[in-house]
Amino acid sequence: MAKKRTFAVGVDYGTNSVRTLIVDTADGREVATAVFPYPSGEAGILLDPKDPNLARQNPADYIDGFFQSVEEAVNIARRDPEFAVEDVVGVGVDTTGSTPLPVDAQGMPLAMKPAFRNNLAAQAWLWKDHTSIAEAAEITEKAKKHRDGYLTKCGGTYSSEWFWSKALHCKRTAPKVFAAAAAWVECADFIPAYITGNTAPATMPRGICAAGHKAMYHEQWGGLPKKAFLKSLDPDLACLGETFNTPALPSDRVAGFLTAEVAKRVRLPAGIPVAVGALDAHLGAVGAGIKPGTLVKIIGTSTCDMMVAPVDGEFPDIPGLCGIVPGSIIPGMYGLEAGQSAVGDIFNWFAKYLAPCAYAASGDIIANLTVAAEKLRPGESGLVALDWNNGNRTILVDALLSGLLVGQTLHTTAPEIYRALVEATAFGALTIINRVEEYGVKVKEVVNCGGIAEKSPMVMQIYADVCNRPMKISRSAQTCALGATIFGTVVGGAHRDVPAAQRAMTGVKSLVYRPNKKAAKVYADLYTIYRQLHDAFGVPGSKVPLDRAMKNLIALRHRVRHEG
Amino acid sequence: MAKKRTFAVGVDYGTNSVRTLIVDTADGREVATAVFPYPSGEAGILLDPKDPNLARQNPADYIDGFFQSVEEAVNIARRDPEFAVEDVVGVGVDTTGSTPLPVDAQGMPLAMKPAFRNNLAAQAWLWKDHTSIAEAAEITEKAKKHRDGYLTKCGGTYSSEWFWSKALHCKRTAPKVFAAAAAWVECADFIPAYITGNTAPATMPRGICAAGHKAMYHEQWGGLPKKAFLKSLDPDLACLGETFNTPALPSDRVAGFLTAEVAKRVRLPAGIPVAVGALDAHLGAVGAGIKPGTLVKIIGTSTCDMMVAPVDGEFPDIPGLCGIVPGSIIPGMYGLEAGQSAVGDIFNWFAKYLAPCAYAASGDIIANLTVAAEKLRPGESGLVALDWNNGNRTILVDALLSGLLVGQTLHTTAPEIYRALVEATAFGALTIINRVEEYGVKVKEVVNCGGIAEKSPMVMQIYADVCNRPMKISRSAQTCALGATIFGTVVGGAHRDVPAAQRAMTGVKSLVYRPNKKAAKVYADLYTIYRQLHDAFGVPGSKVPLDRAMKNLIALRHRVRHEG
């Protein structure tokens, strides 16, 4: 008799919408997908016209989004004759992060209480909220001096995007909201807690992924930073730390079971196990088949670069990486997170603000620019750019950086600049690969996923040529949600562990972008110049001579144009 | 009885057309103007699709242009009841340069002989022809080592735009043309010679302006470089030097008198004195009222910056200046020439290649960008650029440089970049002012002329704010042609010398752009960053720390945006 089919549900909370995916646990086949765009604010984000750094979300959108997208996906799945709701073995959840929200003693979001409904400080503080720059600098300053080395696992700099910065900024700028909050919880923890009926901050399960990468949680110093350290930032942060007393867990652990009330709303049986929540990029890496030696790049408006490494003995602290956290991606392995602050965002910026009519008058601007840019040969424009329009996340961890373009003549065209910007992001990608390899973590393959990996062959070919490595593409176009289903699968017992589930449910496309030798050679020369600019403008205290940079670009341009 | 009215004719050979101006010598009043666009090539320039560095002109266009534009101007003037051809006292001529042309033993252009009519090497080599980069480097190399210091009067670097580079390149790449040429003469010398019937190379008058600024002619070493030096470049260059045996003359000297044949064609009496020719920018400076302490900026696609200084004792060699030549602007004074390789060309480049539809769809793109750019406050974009899209003429004298823009975010707009480019050219202008003042030449006033000075109040206000000096505008909109009339006036005896003629015939507009204190303060900070980038990328062997540059731009942006 054939083995009985089973299914898993993955719920993926992105920046603008939540997506539910239902897959067959045998092979990852997608049975149903449903997307719910957050109705509040602009594309789901609450903004403040007076402060471009502010980005919040309405927690009610998360709850509505769970009910609506899961119910819709279940309804679609039920049309499949092989699917039955009784065969759903588990639910996995991923969310953006650090996206903390202030909650009351029962764990309900303050934003859902009438008194705070319209208070921006009481909402969820979306990952890309940058209001807490001053607090991040202060935390970095104090943590750097601390003998426990709280920053050694997160690249040496604490970010304004992260948990403690945000809570501290709220305390200082919206003290009433801060005082009303019994605790602050990550969105990734709130959703599993809510659907399993266990939202009380003191007992709700917390994921290692958000805690480790965003809240300086590490076994090495016994969990969260010590009370005295938090107190030195603000006595109330020490109290906030007290509300998080349970050990943080990897996502192959059960957070709880679907309550009858929630299950009924989404037309699933009650009692289905729900995995501990994790961050979207990390589960995306799982959905893209991450394993030791594989770098997964999730390339969208920004980039997340993920790796895992076996936990055997000591693992080096790698300067500039956003995080190295045991169990944050695959349980039992170190999870490494790096990233670029802007990739697609830079392409979109150029298309929106600087594309002339010839490319912008009709059709898709990016597509029009790409048609022209892909006809150019590496080096022939004489341009090189830095990919820092939104700062540099890895390896410099510095938001106070900006874009740079060098090599313009009186004949430089828009497609040439566009291509230089694509190349700049590729050089940024190579810089990350080089950094992890310098610290002994070998990158044996690169698997790409996300919108740009799916849609832009030119970008992927440039990445292959610049990195001088084949670029593979994840088979699934929704790797984050697929990663969430894998944890649903594992907590539901359909596979014995994450690697086994990945082997069955993930893979790469047969199309692989392979490096062109001639292009790779030119890009090696261009990268030398990129790296000089990178170090000169980005590394404190550096004095890199740049007096040959323009001449070298002109010589390279001349060589490429005349060698043909 | 009132003094009898007299008139002078100025003939100004520009890059795309020749302009004749007839003025009243009493006050510079414009009696007639006529323009003749060169009919050959593209806008008067012969191009080679295979070589973007090549730019030549058909000498026949110069001759036709003289006849047609002077005749038309005379016809217009005759409608003026106060004008009579008998009252024309003199003719002055200015041309672009270095624009040398190969001629036969009678001084006729080779290009006008059937055998060479279609040979690009036999035409006039326009000032912006850059085919001779290799020869310029070789001449620089050898001249630097020579004890006579042949480069001390031209900024330390010999240019590919100049006389000897072009002749040597012709010898090497078109030896038949070179062999057929009895001599090479500057356009500025050829025109007066032609209209006065004295074209034989051995006897034709040569102007000090072109010879001094473009052919390393200087009294200090007895005229042209010594024969042994020219021989070390190529024995044929030594022979070429022999064809130029007369002392070079300033333009208040008579080159000759209008021949009967030429006079008849243009409806003027024969025998009118013609001044020795000079370069357009130099006579433009005269037409703008240059005197000791006055910097005249001719701002068009590129910029020429001119000053004069009394000849009393030694004058310092100023590193990076294109030229310091006695008598090249005003007889009896040193003429100083500096310049920026691209100014309007950079604005036009941006408008043509990078202006989005919002600014380019209708109307004048530059005007549309200007409307938006002038609303911005100094520093608020966080951008700074280098004005080197066409290399740097002064003070680095380096064609192998290129453009640079730093400070881009994901919100940077086209008008912000446009303004940054305007500011970059202003910083370049300030760098020139600072350099001459560092060497003891005080800039007491700045008089601007040329298309951009006439048409762009925003640009002129930014120049005033960046340089923290008032910017005056020349009263005449055609200063080069007016300068030529002044020399016609002087050789015709209507004024006793150039300063006297200038006092009567030139002036500035009542509108003066005065620096805004607050803007000047911000620009002083921005200039510090510009200068760091300038030195880091442009000065050989420099090691300027740039690790604070982006942070300083962001801090300045923040300060400006929040101080309001």
Side-chain angles (χ1 to χ4, degrees), chain A residues 345 349 353-357 389 398 400 402-410 412 536 539-541 546-547 550-551 554, chain B residues 345 349 353-357 389 398 400 402-410 412 536-537 539-541 546-547 550-551 554:
Chain A
D345 269 347
W349 161 72
Y353 289 108
L354 292 164
C357 289
N389 290 46
D398 190 345
L400 295 175
S402 57
L404 182 145
L405 179 68
V406 62
Q408 300 91 306
T409 69
L410 295 172
T412 298
V539 175
L546 291 174
D547 57 324
M550 290 173 177
K551 291 176 201 335
I554 290 169
Chain B
D345 270 347
W349 160 72
Y353 289 107
L354 291 163
C357 288
N389 289 46
D398 191 345
L400 295 175
S402 57
L404 182 143
L405 179 69
V406 62
Q408 301 91 308
T409 69
L410 295 172
T412 298
F537 284 90
V539 175
L546 292 174
D547 57 323
M550 290 174 177
K551 290 176 203 340
I554 291 169

Side-chain angles (χ1 to χ4, degrees), chain A residues 439-456:
Chain A
Y439 283 79
V441 180
K442 183 83 193 138
V443 177
K444 290 180 198 150
E445 68 166 358
V446 183
V447 176
N448 299 275
C449 54
I452 286 177
E454 291 280 323
K455 287 178 212 153
S456 184

Side-chain angles (χ1 to χ4, degrees), chain A residues 507-518:
Chain A
V508 296
K509 291 185 178 173
S510 55
L511 169 70
V512 174
Y513 297 91
R514 297 189 185 282
N516 171 296
K517 269 189 189 169
K518 201 167 147 191

